[in-house]
DNA sequence: CCAAAAGTGTTCATATTACACCCATGT
DNA sequence: ACATGGGTGTAATATGAACACTTTTGG
């Protein structure tokens, strides 16, 4: 038992993990709750923060414990603290935002009584707590982010074609299709792509395979102010 | 006394308030701590979250209690939770980011033993806790924000000239001076400015005074995706 | 009529858009 | 040889940077 002079809230972390597998929809990693409240309902992976643990570490730990997913890009999203957001009492949740290439992280090892599953972003089940709101905010963040930071590195496999990269952008932004010629010109101008080979055994002209040049990529990520980058990613919608 | 089955962290809010008075530097609102730890040192206004109080409400309450400043634009910045960031034990702090027109909020009513003061952003004193880091992050946010959202509404007086608006942008971005002609063209293209009169009694051609058209402004703020806006504010540096 | 700051016209270079076309492969 | 994507060339238009100029006020 722990005793304090003033009342204290509980603090949890929740993680919104976006996965991409090349399709026309992003996927979201959800778990089915094994205990009350909201037992049996779907929710974001997450849990209580340990007392000697950094917040981000806590998010990564809970994610791995509940879903087996690890080694991925995360950043803090927002802290949700409405007094009535959890029926158990005052619970403040620090939400994280994560991106992962689904084909490289397909296995979803559920812990305990909980199930974990990838849901298409446009076919989500009813969600526990205020998790629908958290997901909404994460989706907005993703769409805003995609305009000033190249996100492909996290969502695509090592090697990919320009058509795949374009499909990713179209999927994230939810737009029909933009001009191939112009997409290519803009992306190539950033210098972040490196040619690594060609497709094999396809019934058409084989596409050039690219990988992200990590150095250039990191540089571009740091200097968000880079005009090159903004101009390259700032697609009309 | 309050007793819990598991240990819980304390949760605080801290507010980074940027003020602008037309000068060549932004100002930051700081308080001098009246109690331990860091007694006598300067810190961000803030304090413990009440159990039945929303986080943002808590930030606004603490700000007003400690500095008298109220009625201002705030948004959540980041949550700081390193286990050792506070010598009193585990304290997680939700930081807020605020903008205010200094000439309209000059009075700084200090509560209790605490002093409150506006410091030029480039002449800050030594700060308590990890507040220097919080301020650094807030400054980065401001500079990023200014590129996709018009921030003048919060920082300038009701009526202002284009030269004043330009000086604000130059101050926030910390650049020497950009081309007057082009600045004007870009800003006017957004349609968010409304002519309201002219300067009086100046020893030169009187400048047109503008105010923000609230409707257009709100619309632009919502649709951050607006190409008009991005192009208008995306200044080269 | 001068100083000071406001405000405008215009040129030139570059970027963006849009559309049509050619290319390489497996069957 | 043809279907299927992959991958260019390029003209018309829009945008942006730069610079010099005109305007309006008070003293």
């Amino acid at each position: 038992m722990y005793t304090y002079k003033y009342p204290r809230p509980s603090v949890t972390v929740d993680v919104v993990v976006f996965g991409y597998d090349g399709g026309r929809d992003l996927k979201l990693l959800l778990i089915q709750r094994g205990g009350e409240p909201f037992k049996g309902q779907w929710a974001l992976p997450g849990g209580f923060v340990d007392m000697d643990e950094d917040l981000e570490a806590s998010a990564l730990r809970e994610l791995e414990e509940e879903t087996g997913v690890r080694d991925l890009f995360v950043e803090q999203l927002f802290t949700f603290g409405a007094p009535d957001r959890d029926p158990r009492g005052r619970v403040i949740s620090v939400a994280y935002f994560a991106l992962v290439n689904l084909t490289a992280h397909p296995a979803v090892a559920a812990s305990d009584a909980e199930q974990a599953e990838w849901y298409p972003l446009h076919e989500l089940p009813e969600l526990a707590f205020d998790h629908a709101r958290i997901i909404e905010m994460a989706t907005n963040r993703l769409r805003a982010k995609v305009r000033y930071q190249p996100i492909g590195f996290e969502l695509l496999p090592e090697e990919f074609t320009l058509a795949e990269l374009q499909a990713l952008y179209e999927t994230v932004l939810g737009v029909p299709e933009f001009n191939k010629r112009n997409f290519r010109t803009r992306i190539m101008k950033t210098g972040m792509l490196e040619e690594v080979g060609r497709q094999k055994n396809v019934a058409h002209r084989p596409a050039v395979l690219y990988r992200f040049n990590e150095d250039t990529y990191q540089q571009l990520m740091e200097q968000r102010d880079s005009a090159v980058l903004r101009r390259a990613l700032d697609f009309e919608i």
Side-chain angles (χ1 to χ4, degrees), chain A residues 199-210:
Chain A
Q199 287 179 323
K200 301 270 185 255
N201 294 342
V202 287
H204 54 76
R205 176 172 173 177
V208 172
L209 293 169
Y210 293 91

Side-chain angles (χ1 to χ4, degrees), chain A residues 95-112:
Chain A
Y96 281 79
F97 166 94
L99 299 177
V100 71
N101 166 21
L102 224 156
T103 54
H105 301 253
V108 166
S111 82
D112 316 317

